[in-house]
């Protein structure tokens, strides 16, 4: 047998390194601004949802658009980074505890999109209306002002997150996708 | 080339050679339990990952199933019911299904499905032996977990649960997220295990403790040392993750049905007794 070039000490150092990195990441990783935006049909208030959610991730595995993510408490949340919510209610049907339950898609509001004008390309002189183009097809909650800068109608917006998905900003400044978008969902 | 140990005529020792020959034969005749168990755990993880990848919504070890056919982790369900202070019937039914399965198969979840078994589980290699009053201490941990959920209105143990953390990792792989948070939580638990000098699965895990309590109701699959063949040698207790000495007919409720004892016994004395099943069928 040819002994592996990897010594035991190196192996342990590698395992220790990955471990230390992960624990540090867990402690230092900032919580997403959308961490309290729940999938549709979530029990309200948030304290009740926390109590009822089993953290099983069945909703995550059911969502056809991989919209639902788990925060560090393993609670499901929606930030629109991977995809937006189509209000198909698959998550509510899958949930074993009733923390999520199927509701009327037309009257549901998950949260509200807010635009960070300091980073939005349209508000900082580049021309961009990706979110507007997407929202027009869905909810018509984004309008353009005279200078073609996007504005969100807080009443019309249902928090689906499509504007976040399409926002190209994170790609330009080399920020992480998660924290670099110029538009984000916040809980109401 | 290495030679088999007992092939040299100079070191020939009749008793030792006898034992080895029997052990050698055993390897050919016994199913390789460890391989089967690893395969089963891997299969379960792959199902969880692919179900998330293809959005089948089967869920995880915390809650698994399709449509209304669901099983759920009894500890999670107990915590949720304590946290919400509401009895949720369909959730309780899902937990009851798990309880019934555990009554039939014993604590198989730990031996055959839980990936934590391959990460923690120092068993007899832990520097400290099991607590004398292990049963009471584990009941205390269990009551504490449910009590904390009740007081804080939050199933807090679920957040750090090794099973849940691993499932989160599997979901993350399936949906293209980062597995670092899972590794972080798991490392914290492995650290707890090592610092405490104990074995996580044997002494600390509340999930395993609850399954053991339920498994006490399981009359079937039980490894027993055949007294005609067993000359107490401690091979079983040194290999059992639960440190059970079969020669002393211990309480088998913590047995995870891993059959390490069957593979370890040099005299083939461990038998999986099914007489209760036979009685059960025969008495009808
Ligand atoms: S309603 Fe459908 S698209 Fe929206 S989060 Fe639930 S499963 Fe995903
Ligand atoms: S399916 Fe329900 S209980 Fe499970 S993680 Fe999602 S919201 Fe929580
Ligand atoms: S602004 Fe439009 S696209 Fe963005 S979350 Fe609201 S409804 Fe969805
Ligand atoms: S005792 Fe806990 S960690 Fe160990 S196998 Fe059982 S459930 Fe998994």
């Amino acid at each position: 047998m040819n002994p592996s070039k990897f010594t035991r000490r190196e192996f342990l150092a590698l395992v220790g390194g990955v471990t230390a990195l992960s624990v540090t990441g867990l402690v230092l990783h900032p919580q997403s601004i959308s961490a309290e935006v729940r999938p549709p049909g979530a029990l309200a208030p948030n304290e009740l949802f926390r109590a009822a959610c089993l953290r099983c991730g069945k909703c995550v595995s059911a969502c056809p658009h991989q919209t639902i993510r788990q925060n560090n408490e393993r609670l499901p949340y929606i930030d629109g980074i991977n995809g937006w919510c189509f209000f198909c209610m698959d998550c509510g049907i899958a949930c074993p505890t009733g923390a999520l339950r199927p509701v009327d898609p037309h009257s549901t509001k998950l949260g509200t999109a807010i635009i960070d004008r300091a980073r939005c390309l349209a508000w900082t002189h580049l021309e961009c209306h990706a979110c507007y183009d997407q929202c027009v097809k869905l909810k018509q909650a984004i309008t353009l002002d005279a200078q073609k800068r996007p504005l969100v109608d807080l009443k019309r917006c249902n928090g689906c997150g499509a504007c976040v998905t399409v926002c190209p900003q994170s790609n330009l400044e080399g920020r992480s996708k998660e924290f670099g978008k110029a538009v984000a969902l916040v809980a109401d | 080339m290495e030679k088999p140990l007992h092939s040299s005529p100079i070191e020939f020792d009749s008793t030792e050679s006898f034992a080895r020959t029997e052990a050698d034969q055993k390897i050919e005749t016994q199913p390789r339990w460890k391989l089967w168990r690893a395969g089963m755990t891997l299969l379960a993880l792959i199902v969880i990952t692919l179900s998330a990848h293809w959005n089948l919504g089967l869920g995880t070890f915390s809650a698994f199933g399709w449509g209304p056919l669901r099983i759920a982790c009894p500890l999670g369900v107990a915590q949720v019911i304590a946290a919400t202070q509401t009895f949720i019937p369909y959730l309780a039914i899902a937990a009851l299904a798990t309880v019934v399965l555990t009554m039939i198969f014993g604590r198989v979840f730990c031996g055959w499905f839980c990936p934590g078994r391959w990460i923690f589980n120092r068993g007899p290699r832990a520097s400290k032996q099991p607590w004398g009053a292990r049963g009471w201490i584990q009941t205390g941990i269990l009551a504490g977990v449910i009590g904390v959920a009740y007081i804080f209105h939050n199933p807090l143990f679920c957040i750090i649960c090794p099973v849940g953390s691993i499932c989160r990792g599997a979901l993350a792989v399936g949906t293209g997220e980062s597995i670092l948070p899972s590794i972080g939580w798991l490392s914290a638990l492995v650290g707890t295990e090592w610092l405490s000098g104990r074995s996580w699965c044997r002494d600390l895990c509340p999930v395993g403790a609850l399954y053991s309590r339920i498994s006490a109701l399981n009359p079937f699959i039980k490894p027993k040392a055949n007294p005609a063949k067993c000359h107490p040698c401690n091979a079983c207790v040194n290999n059992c993750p639960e440190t059970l000495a079969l020669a002393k007919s211990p309480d088998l409720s913590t047995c995870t049905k891993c059959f390490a004892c069957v593979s370890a016994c040099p005299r083939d004395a461990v038998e999986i007794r099914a007489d209760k099943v036979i009685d059960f069928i025969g008495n009808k």
Side-chain angles (χ1 to χ4, degrees):
Chain A
M1 272 272 290
N2 187 19
S4 156
K5 282 190 193 131
F6 219 35
T7 65
R8 189 182 156 84
R9 178 182 292 255
E10 279 165 352
F11 177 71
L12 287 180
L14 184 74
V15 171
V18 172
T19 301
L21 220 73
S22 316
V23 176
T24 323
L26 205 60
V27 175
L28 297 183
H29 192 263
Q31 168 140 295
S32 161
I33 188 175
S34 315
E36 314 264 89
V37 180
R38 304 291 172 220
L43 287 179
N46 197 27
E47 284 63 43
L48 187 56
F49 181 82
R50 250 166 211 255
C53 173
L54 186 56
R55 275 80 167 164
C56 64
K58 226 167 176 299
C59 48
V60 178
S61 84
C63 178
H65 308 283
Q66 305 187 334
T67 307
I68 306 179
R69 312 178 77 186
Q70 288 182 304
N71 66 14
N72 275 349
E73 243 187 273
R74 249 185 304 123
L75 289 171
Y77 73 98
I78 288 183
D79 58 7
I81 297 286
N82 298 339
W84 66 89
C85 177
F86 284 64
F87 299 92
C88 65
M89 301 301 155
D90 281 3
C91 50
I93 294 165
C95 179
T97 71
L100 301 177
R101 46 189 82 192
V103 287
D104 173 23
H106 300 291
S107 57
T108 319
K109 186 163 164 60
L110 311 182
T112 312
I114 48 161
I115 291 176
D116 180 352
R117 292 185 183 175
R119 285 225 304 289
C120 172
L121 299 174
W123 282 87
T124 54
H125 46 253
L126 267 168
E127 190 165 327
C128 170
H129 38 76
C131 57
Y132 168 79
D133 293 348
Q134 190 60 48
C135 194
V136 148
K137 295 183 223 156
L138 298 162
K139 243 345 223 179
Q140 303 88 39
I142 297 183
T143 47
L144 296 182
D145 69 2
Q147 279 87 43
K148 294 201 172 167
R149 299 175 302 195
L151 295 167
V152 180
D153 178 342
L154 306 183
K155 289 262 162 48
R156 278 197 76 84
C157 172
N158 62 2
C160 70
C163 47
V164 182
T165 316
V166 299
C167 175
Q169 167 62 324
S170 63
N171 309 339
L172 294 179
E173 278 196 3
R175 291 177 200 246
S176 79
K177 224 180 182 186
E178 200 163 351
F179 298 103
K181 296 276 187 180
V183 55
L185 291 183
V186 290
D188 290 318
Chain B
M1 278 292 287
E2 274 186 37
K3 284 184 181 174
L5 279 175
H6 55 273
S7 69
S8 150
I10 305 159
E11 293 167 13
F12 190 77
D13 171 329
S14 66
T15 44
E16 197 191 337
S17 155
F18 181 66
R20 278 185 201 283
T21 319
E22 265 206 349
D24 289 350
Q25 278 176 358
K26 232 168 84 91
I27 290 171
E28 286 152 28
T29 54
Q30 284 292 339
R32 304 176 117 183
W33 292 113
K34 200 169 182 180
L35 218 60
W36 282 106
R37 290 192 297 118
M40 198 59 134
T41 309
L42 208 63
L43 186 71
L45 276 178
I46 291 174
V47 167
I48 292 174
T49 308
L50 288 184
S51 127
H53 190 69
W54 292 328
N55 320 312
L56 306 177
L58 292 179
T60 61
F61 289 128
S62 313
F64 188 87
W66 190 77
L69 287 178
R70 285 178 188 142
I71 52 177
C73 166
L75 187 62
V77 171
Q79 284 185 83
V80 164
I81 288 179
T84 51
Q85 296 167 17
T86 317
F87 183 73
I88 308 169
Y90 45 90
L91 188 59
I93 289 171
L96 200 66
T98 319
V99 171
V100 170
L101 286 176
T102 311
M103 280 166 65
I104 299 173
F105 296 105
R107 192 184 160 191
V108 279
F109 175 74
C110 293
W112 287 73
F113 294 99
C114 181
R117 180 113 289 201
W118 306 89
I119 299 173
F120 310 104
N121 187 28
R122 290 190 293 157
R125 279 170 291 120
S127 55
K128 290 185 188 153
Q129 283 304 298
W131 285 296
R134 173 165 77 147
W136 288 106
I137 292 174
Q138 286 188 329
T139 307
I141 295 179
L142 259 177
V145 163
I146 296 171
V148 161
Y150 181 83
I151 295 167
F152 292 100
H153 301 292
N154 195 343
L156 285 169
F157 178 73
C158 285
I159 300 172
I160 58 161
C161 173
V163 188
S165 302
I166 293 165
C167 290
R168 178 193 185 165
L171 290 179
V173 172
T175 56
E177 299 267 344
S178 163
I179 57 166
L180 287 181
S182 302
I183 297 179
W185 281 123
L186 282 173
S187 333
L189 291 173
V190 171
T192 311
E193 186 187 37
W194 281 88
L195 288 179
S196 69
R198 301 199 168 272
S199 160
W200 173 270
C201 295
R202 188 189 66 190
D203 304 322
L204 300 171
C205 182
V207 184
L210 182 56
Y211 276 121
S212 303
R213 297 298 174 285
I214 305 169
S215 181
L217 307 169
N218 155 45
F220 305 133
I221 315 159
K222 295 209 162 172
K224 291 261 162 68
N226 180 346
K229 290 190 196 164
C230 168
H231 299 264
C233 67
N234 287 344
C236 49
V237 61
N238 287 336
N239 284 280
C240 174
E242 297 297 320
T243 326
L244 294 173
L246 293 185
K248 295 178 189 153
S249 319
D251 167 17
L252 287 171
S253 61
T254 58
C255 168
T256 60
K257 319 300 171 202
C258 67
F259 306 140
C261 47
V262 180
S263 310
C265 178
R267 293 182 182 79
D268 248 343
V270 182
E271 291 163 3
I272 308 297
R273 298 284 280 274
D275 13 315
K276 288 247 173 105
V277 187
I278 295 160
D279 285 353
F280 188 71
I281 300 165
N283 286 346
K284 276 221 161 164

